[in-house]
Structures are given as C-alpha cells and as structure tokens.
CSV table of all heavy atoms in Angstrom, one decimal:
chain,number,residue,atom,x,y,z
A,18,ARG,N,-17.7,-58.4,11.2
A,18,ARG,CA,-18.6,-59.5,11.0
A,18,ARG,C,-17.8,-60.8,10.7
A,18,ARG,O,-16.9,-60.8,9.9
A,18,ARG,CB,-19.6,-59.2,9.9
A,18,ARG,CG,-20.6,-60.3,9.7
A,18,ARG,CD,-21.5,-60.0,8.5
A,18,ARG,NE,-22.4,-61.1,8.2
A,18,ARG,CZ,-23.1,-61.2,7.1
A,18,ARG,NH1,-23.2,-60.1,6.2
A,18,ARG,NH2,-23.9,-62.2,6.8
A,19,LEU,N,-18.2,-61.9,11.4
A,19,LEU,CA,-17.7,-63.2,11.1
A,19,LEU,C,-18.9,-64.1,10.7
A,19,LEU,O,-20.0,-63.9,11.2
A,19,LEU,CB,-17.0,-63.8,12.3
A,19,LEU,CG,-15.6,-63.2,12.6
A,19,LEU,CD1,-15.1,-63.9,13.9
A,19,LEU,CD2,-14.7,-63.6,11.5
A,20,SER,N,-18.7,-65.0,9.8
A,20,SER,CA,-19.7,-65.9,9.4
A,20,SER,C,-19.1,-67.2,9.0
A,20,SER,O,-17.9,-67.3,8.6
A,20,SER,CB,-20.5,-65.3,8.2
A,20,SER,OG,-21.5,-66.2,7.7
A,21,THR,N,-19.9,-68.3,9.1
A,21,THR,CA,-19.3,-69.6,8.7
A,21,THR,C,-19.2,-69.7,7.2
A,21,THR,O,-19.9,-69.1,6.4
A,21,THR,CB,-20.3,-70.7,9.1
A,21,THR,OG1,-19.8,-72.0,8.7
A,21,THR,CG2,-21.7,-70.5,8.6
A,22,GLY,N,-18.1,-70.3,6.8
A,22,GLY,CA,-17.8,-70.5,5.4
A,22,GLY,C,-18.4,-71.8,4.9
A,22,GLY,O,-18.2,-72.2,3.7
A,23,LEU,N,-19.1,-72.6,5.7
A,23,LEU,CA,-19.6,-73.9,5.3
A,23,LEU,C,-21.0,-73.8,4.7
A,23,LEU,O,-21.4,-74.8,4.1
A,23,LEU,CB,-19.6,-74.8,6.6
A,23,LEU,CG,-18.3,-75.1,7.2
A,23,LEU,CD1,-18.4,-75.9,8.5
A,23,LEU,CD2,-17.3,-75.7,6.2
A,24,ALA,N,-21.7,-72.7,4.9
A,24,ALA,CA,-23.0,-72.6,4.4
A,24,ALA,C,-23.0,-72.5,2.8
A,24,ALA,O,-22.0,-72.1,2.3
A,24,ALA,CB,-23.7,-71.4,5.0
A,25,PRO,N,-24.0,-72.9,2.2
A,25,PRO,CA,-24.1,-72.7,0.7
A,25,PRO,C,-23.8,-71.3,0.3
A,25,PRO,O,-24.3,-70.4,0.9
A,25,PRO,CB,-25.5,-73.2,0.3
A,25,PRO,CG,-25.9,-74.1,1.4
A,25,PRO,CD,-25.3,-73.5,2.7
A,26,ARG,N,-23.1,-71.1,-0.8
A,26,ARG,CA,-22.8,-69.7,-1.3
A,26,ARG,C,-23.5,-69.5,-2.6
A,26,ARG,O,-23.7,-70.3,-3.4
A,26,ARG,CB,-21.3,-69.6,-1.4
A,26,ARG,CG,-20.5,-69.8,-0.1
A,26,ARG,CD,-19.0,-69.6,-0.3
A,26,ARG,NE,-18.3,-70.1,0.9
A,26,ARG,CZ,-16.9,-70.0,0.9
A,26,ARG,NH1,-16.2,-69.5,0.0
A,26,ARG,NH2,-16.3,-70.5,2.0
A,27,LEU,N,-23.8,-68.2,-2.8
A,27,LEU,CA,-24.5,-67.8,-4.0
A,27,LEU,C,-23.6,-67.7,-5.2
A,27,LEU,O,-22.5,-67.0,-5.1
A,27,LEU,CB,-25.2,-66.4,-3.8
A,27,LEU,CG,-26.0,-65.8,-4.9
A,27,LEU,CD1,-27.1,-66.7,-5.3
A,27,LEU,CD2,-26.5,-64.4,-4.6
A,28,SER,N,-23.9,-68.4,-6.2
A,28,SER,CA,-23.1,-68.3,-7.4
A,28,SER,C,-23.5,-67.2,-8.3
A,28,SER,O,-24.7,-66.7,-8.3
A,28,SER,CB,-23.2,-69.6,-8.2
A,28,SER,OG,-24.4,-69.8,-8.8
A,29,LEU,N,-22.7,-66.7,-9.2
A,29,LEU,CA,-23.0,-65.7,-10.1
A,29,LEU,C,-24.1,-66.1,-11.1
A,29,LEU,O,-25.1,-65.4,-11.3
A,29,LEU,CB,-21.8,-65.2,-10.9
A,29,LEU,CG,-22.1,-64.1,-12.0
A,29,LEU,CD1,-22.7,-62.9,-11.3
A,29,LEU,CD2,-20.8,-63.8,-12.7
A,30,ASP,N,-24.0,-67.4,-11.5
A,30,ASP,CA,-25.1,-67.9,-12.4
A,30,ASP,C,-26.4,-67.9,-11.8
A,30,ASP,O,-27.5,-67.6,-12.4
A,30,ASP,CB,-24.7,-69.3,-12.9
A,30,ASP,CG,-23.7,-69.2,-14.0
A,30,ASP,OD1,-23.5,-68.2,-14.6
A,30,ASP,OD2,-23.0,-70.3,-14.3
A,31,ALA,N,-26.5,-68.3,-10.5
A,31,ALA,CA,-27.7,-68.4,-9.7
A,31,ALA,C,-28.3,-67.0,-9.5
A,31,ALA,O,-29.5,-66.8,-9.6
A,31,ALA,CB,-27.5,-69.1,-8.4
A,32,MET,N,-27.4,-66.0,-9.3
A,32,MET,CA,-27.9,-64.7,-9.1
A,32,MET,C,-28.5,-64.1,-10.4
A,32,MET,O,-29.6,-63.5,-10.5
A,32,MET,CB,-26.8,-63.7,-8.6
A,32,MET,CG,-27.2,-62.3,-8.4
A,32,MET,SD,-27.1,-61.3,-9.9
A,32,MET,CE,-25.4,-60.9,-9.9
A,33,LEU,N,-27.8,-64.4,-11.5
A,33,LEU,CA,-28.3,-63.9,-12.8
A,33,LEU,C,-29.6,-64.6,-13.2
A,33,LEU,O,-30.5,-64.0,-13.9
A,33,LEU,CB,-27.2,-64.1,-13.9
A,33,LEU,CG,-26.0,-63.3,-13.8
A,33,LEU,CD1,-24.9,-63.8,-14.8
A,33,LEU,CD2,-26.2,-61.8,-13.9
A,34,ALA,N,-29.8,-65.8,-12.8
A,34,ALA,CA,-31.0,-66.5,-13.1
A,34,ALA,C,-32.2,-66.0,-12.3
A,34,ALA,O,-33.4,-66.1,-12.7
A,34,ALA,CB,-30.9,-68.0,-12.8
A,35,GLU,N,-31.9,-65.3,-11.1
A,35,GLU,CA,-33.0,-64.8,-10.2
A,35,GLU,C,-33.5,-63.5,-10.7
A,35,GLU,O,-34.7,-63.2,-10.5
A,35,GLU,CB,-32.4,-64.7,-8.8
A,35,GLU,CG,-33.5,-64.3,-7.8
A,35,GLU,CD,-34.5,-65.4,-7.5
A,35,GLU,OE1,-34.3,-66.6,-7.9
A,35,GLU,OE2,-35.6,-65.1,-7.0
A,36,ILE,N,-32.7,-62.6,-11.2
A,36,ILE,CA,-33.1,-61.3,-11.5
A,36,ILE,C,-33.8,-61.2,-12.9
A,36,ILE,O,-33.6,-62.1,-13.7
A,36,ILE,CB,-31.9,-60.3,-11.4
A,36,ILE,CG1,-30.9,-60.6,-12.5
A,36,ILE,CG2,-31.3,-60.3,-10.1
A,36,ILE,CD1,-29.7,-59.6,-12.5
A,37,ARG,N,-34.6,-60.2,-13.0
A,37,ARG,CA,-35.3,-60.0,-14.3
A,37,ARG,C,-34.3,-59.8,-15.4
A,37,ARG,O,-33.3,-59.3,-15.3
A,37,ARG,CB,-36.3,-58.8,-14.2
A,37,ARG,CG,-37.3,-58.9,-13.2
A,37,ARG,CD,-38.0,-57.5,-13.0
A,37,ARG,NE,-38.9,-57.5,-11.9
A,37,ARG,CZ,-39.4,-56.4,-11.4
A,37,ARG,NH1,-39.1,-55.2,-11.9
A,37,ARG,NH2,-40.3,-56.4,-10.4
A,38,SER,N,-34.8,-60.2,-16.6
A,38,SER,CA,-33.9,-60.1,-17.8
A,38,SER,C,-33.6,-58.6,-18.1
A,38,SER,O,-32.6,-58.3,-18.8
A,38,SER,CB,-34.5,-60.8,-19.0
A,38,SER,OG,-35.8,-60.2,-19.3
A,39,SER,N,-34.5,-57.7,-17.7
A,39,SER,CA,-34.3,-56.3,-18.0
A,39,SER,C,-33.5,-55.6,-16.9
A,39,SER,O,-33.2,-54.4,-17.1
A,39,SER,CB,-35.6,-55.6,-18.2
A,39,SER,OG,-36.5,-55.8,-17.0
A,40,THR,N,-33.3,-56.2,-15.8
A,40,THR,CA,-32.6,-55.6,-14.7
A,40,THR,C,-31.1,-55.3,-14.9
A,40,THR,O,-30.4,-56.3,-15.3
A,40,THR,CB,-32.8,-56.4,-13.4
A,40,THR,OG1,-34.2,-56.5,-13.0
A,40,THR,CG2,-32.0,-55.7,-12.2
A,41,GLY,N,-30.6,-54.1,-14.7
A,41,GLY,CA,-29.2,-53.9,-14.9
A,41,GLY,C,-28.4,-54.3,-13.7
A,41,GLY,O,-28.9,-54.2,-12.6
A,42,ILE,N,-27.2,-54.7,-13.9
A,42,ILE,CA,-26.4,-55.2,-12.8
A,42,ILE,C,-25.0,-54.5,-12.9
A,42,ILE,O,-24.5,-54.1,-14.0
A,42,ILE,CB,-26.1,-56.7,-12.9
A,42,ILE,CG1,-25.6,-57.2,-14.2
A,42,ILE,CG2,-27.4,-57.5,-12.5
A,42,ILE,CD1,-25.2,-58.6,-14.3
A,43,MET,N,-24.4,-54.3,-11.7
A,43,MET,CA,-23.1,-53.8,-11.6
A,43,MET,C,-22.3,-54.8,-10.8
A,43,MET,O,-22.6,-55.1,-9.6
A,43,MET,CB,-23.0,-52.4,-10.9
A,43,MET,CG,-21.6,-51.9,-10.6
A,43,MET,SD,-21.5,-50.4,-9.7
A,43,MET,CE,-21.7,-49.2,-11.0
A,44,LEU,N,-21.3,-55.4,-11.4
A,44,LEU,CA,-20.5,-56.4,-10.8
A,44,LEU,C,-19.2,-55.8,-10.3
A,44,LEU,O,-18.4,-55.4,-11.1
A,44,LEU,CB,-20.2,-57.6,-11.8
A,44,LEU,CG,-21.4,-58.2,-12.4
A,44,LEU,CD1,-21.0,-59.3,-13.4
A,44,LEU,CD2,-22.4,-58.8,-11.4
A,45,ASP,N,-19.0,-55.8,-9.0
A,45,ASP,CA,-17.8,-55.3,-8.4
A,45,ASP,C,-16.8,-56.5,-8.2
A,45,ASP,O,-17.0,-57.4,-7.4
A,45,ASP,CB,-18.1,-54.7,-7.0
A,45,ASP,CG,-17.0,-53.9,-6.4
A,45,ASP,OD1,-15.8,-54.0,-7.0
A,45,ASP,OD2,-17.1,-53.3,-5.4
A,46,LEU,N,-15.8,-56.4,-9.0
A,46,LEU,CA,-14.8,-57.6,-9.1
A,46,LEU,C,-13.8,-57.5,-7.9
A,46,LEU,O,-13.1,-56.4,-7.8
A,46,LEU,CB,-14.1,-57.6,-10.4
A,46,LEU,CG,-15.0,-57.5,-11.6
A,46,LEU,CD1,-14.1,-57.6,-12.9
A,46,LEU,CD2,-16.0,-58.6,-11.6
A,47,LYS,N,-13.8,-58.5,-7.1
A,47,LYS,CA,-13.0,-58.5,-5.9
A,47,LYS,C,-11.8,-59.5,-6.0
A,47,LYS,O,-11.8,-60.5,-6.7
A,47,LYS,CB,-13.8,-59.0,-4.7
A,47,LYS,CG,-15.0,-58.1,-4.4
A,47,LYS,CD,-14.6,-56.7,-4.0
A,47,LYS,CE,-15.8,-55.9,-3.5
A,47,LYS,NZ,-15.4,-54.6,-3.0
A,48,GLY,N,-10.7,-59.2,-5.3
A,48,GLY,CA,-9.6,-60.0,-5.2
A,48,GLY,C,-8.6,-59.8,-6.4
A,48,GLY,O,-8.8,-58.9,-7.2
A,49,ASN,N,-7.7,-60.7,-6.5
A,49,ASN,CA,-6.6,-60.6,-7.5
A,49,ASN,C,-6.5,-61.8,-8.4
A,49,ASN,O,-5.4,-62.0,-9.1
A,49,ASN,CB,-5.3,-60.3,-6.8
A,49,ASN,CG,-5.3,-59.0,-6.0
A,49,ASN,OD1,-5.6,-58.0,-6.6
A,49,ASN,ND2,-5.1,-59.1,-4.7
A,50,ASP,N,-7.5,-62.7,-8.4
A,50,ASP,CA,-7.4,-63.9,-9.2
A,50,ASP,C,-7.3,-63.6,-10.7
A,50,ASP,O,-8.2,-62.9,-11.2
A,50,ASP,CB,-8.6,-64.9,-8.9
A,50,ASP,CG,-8.4,-66.3,-9.4
A,50,ASP,OD1,-8.0,-66.4,-10.6
A,50,ASP,OD2,-8.5,-67.2,-8.6
A,51,ARG,N,-6.3,-64.0,-11.3
A,51,ARG,CA,-6.2,-63.7,-12.8
A,51,ARG,C,-7.2,-64.3,-13.6
A,51,ARG,O,-7.4,-63.8,-14.8
A,51,ARG,CB,-4.8,-64.1,-13.2
A,51,ARG,CG,-3.6,-63.4,-12.5
A,51,ARG,CD,-2.3,-63.9,-13.0
A,51,ARG,NE,-1.2,-63.2,-12.4
A,51,ARG,CZ,0.1,-63.4,-12.6
A,51,ARG,NH1,0.5,-64.3,-13.5
A,51,ARG,NH2,1.0,-62.7,-12.0
A,52,ALA,N,-7.9,-65.3,-13.1
A,52,ALA,CA,-8.9,-66.0,-13.9
A,52,ALA,C,-10.3,-65.3,-13.8
A,52,ALA,O,-11.2,-65.7,-14.5
A,52,ALA,CB,-9.0,-67.5,-13.5
A,53,LEU,N,-10.4,-64.4,-12.9
A,53,LEU,CA,-11.7,-63.8,-12.6
A,53,LEU,C,-12.3,-63.1,-13.8
A,53,LEU,O,-13.5,-63.3,-14.1
A,53,LEU,CB,-11.6,-62.8,-11.4
A,53,LEU,CG,-12.9,-62.1,-11.0
A,53,LEU,CD1,-14.0,-63.0,-10.7
A,53,LEU,CD2,-12.6,-61.2,-9.8
A,54,ALA,N,-11.6,-62.2,-14.4
A,54,ALA,CA,-12.2,-61.4,-15.5
A,54,ALA,C,-12.7,-62.3,-16.6
A,54,ALA,O,-13.8,-62.1,-17.1
A,54,ALA,CB,-11.1,-60.4,-16.0
A,55,ALA,N,-11.9,-63.2,-17.1
A,55,ALA,CA,-12.3,-64.1,-18.2
A,55,ALA,C,-13.6,-64.9,-17.8
A,55,ALA,O,-14.5,-65.1,-18.6
A,55,ALA,CB,-11.2,-65.0,-18.6
A,56,ALA,N,-13.6,-65.3,-16.5
A,56,ALA,CA,-14.8,-66.1,-16.1
A,56,ALA,C,-16.0,-65.3,-16.0
A,56,ALA,O,-17.1,-65.7,-16.3
A,56,ALA,CB,-14.5,-66.7,-14.7
A,57,VAL,N,-15.9,-64.0,-15.6
A,57,VAL,CA,-17.0,-63.1,-15.5
A,57,VAL,C,-17.5,-62.8,-17.0
A,57,VAL,O,-18.7,-62.8,-17.2
A,57,VAL,CB,-16.7,-61.8,-14.8
A,57,VAL,CG1,-17.7,-60.7,-15.0
A,57,VAL,CG2,-16.5,-62.1,-13.3
A,58,ILE,N,-16.6,-62.6,-17.9
A,58,ILE,CA,-17.0,-62.3,-19.3
A,58,ILE,C,-17.8,-63.5,-19.8
A,58,ILE,O,-18.8,-63.4,-20.5
A,58,ILE,CB,-15.8,-62.0,-20.1
A,58,ILE,CG1,-15.2,-60.6,-19.8
A,58,ILE,CG2,-16.2,-62.1,-21.6
A,58,ILE,CD1,-13.9,-60.3,-20.4
A,59,ALA,N,-17.3,-64.7,-19.5
A,59,ALA,CA,-18.0,-65.9,-20.0
A,59,ALA,C,-19.4,-66.1,-19.4
A,59,ALA,O,-20.3,-66.4,-20.1
A,59,ALA,CB,-17.1,-67.2,-19.7
A,60,ALA,N,-19.5,-65.7,-18.1
A,60,ALA,CA,-20.8,-65.8,-17.4
A,60,ALA,C,-21.8,-64.8,-18.0
A,60,ALA,O,-23.0,-65.1,-18.2
A,60,ALA,CB,-20.6,-65.6,-15.9
A,61,ILE,N,-21.3,-63.6,-18.3
A,61,ILE,CA,-22.2,-62.6,-18.9
A,61,ILE,C,-22.6,-63.0,-20.3
A,61,ILE,O,-23.8,-62.9,-20.6
A,61,ILE,CB,-21.4,-61.2,-18.9
A,61,ILE,CG1,-21.2,-60.7,-17.5
A,61,ILE,CG2,-22.2,-60.2,-19.8
A,61,ILE,CD1,-20.3,-59.5,-17.5
A,62,GLU,N,-21.7,-63.5,-21.1
A,62,GLU,CA,-22.1,-63.9,-22.4
A,62,GLU,C,-23.0,-65.1,-22.4
A,62,GLU,O,-23.8,-65.4,-23.4
A,62,GLU,CB,-20.8,-64.2,-23.2
A,62,GLU,CG,-20.0,-62.9,-23.5
A,62,GLU,CD,-18.7,-63.2,-24.2
A,62,GLU,OE1,-18.3,-64.3,-24.3
A,62,GLU,OE2,-18.1,-62.2,-24.7
A,63,ARG,N,-22.9,-65.9,-21.4
A,63,ARG,CA,-23.8,-67.1,-21.2
A,63,ARG,C,-25.1,-66.8,-20.7
A,63,ARG,O,-26.1,-67.4,-21.1
A,63,ARG,CB,-23.0,-68.1,-20.3
A,63,ARG,CG,-23.8,-69.4,-20.1
A,63,ARG,CD,-22.9,-70.4,-19.3
A,63,ARG,NE,-22.6,-69.9,-18.0
A,63,ARG,CZ,-21.4,-69.6,-17.6
A,63,ARG,NH1,-20.4,-69.6,-18.4
A,63,ARG,NH2,-21.2,-69.2,-16.3
C-alpha cells in the first residue's frame, strides 16, 4: 500500500479524546525514536 503523506494525520491526543473514558487501549510503539516512550507516558498521564 502507498498513500499520500500530505493528508492530515491522526494524533494520539485526538484518538484518546475520541474513545470512551472506560475503553482500554493497547499502544504498539513503532520505530526507534528515543523520545517516543517519554512522550507516550506524558500523553497517557495527560
């Protein structure tokens, strides 16, 4: 599959705002960016 990278992309905060507060989530962390884990923890706590 190929897709344009110019279209708006879904942010983690937007996704968390959409789902019910009681819905459980599993976040599959992708890539090797060293800042990813800390940013995800901050988003979860926020």
Side-chain angles (χ1 to χ4, degrees):
R18 181 181 171 191
L19 285 175
S20 179
T21 177
L23 299 176
R26 303 183 190 179
L27 178 62
S28 70
L29 179 58
D30 283 342
M32 183 271 281
L33 292 174
E35 184 69 18
I36 64 178
R37 299 170 187 163
S38 59
S39 59
T40 297
I42 53 172
M43 174 182 277
L44 304 179
D45 190 353
L46 309 184
K47 300 292 189 178
N49 299 302
D50 194 309
R51 294 180 179 178
L53 176 58
V57 167
I58 290 172
I61 291 170
E62 293 177 344
R63 179 173 64 247

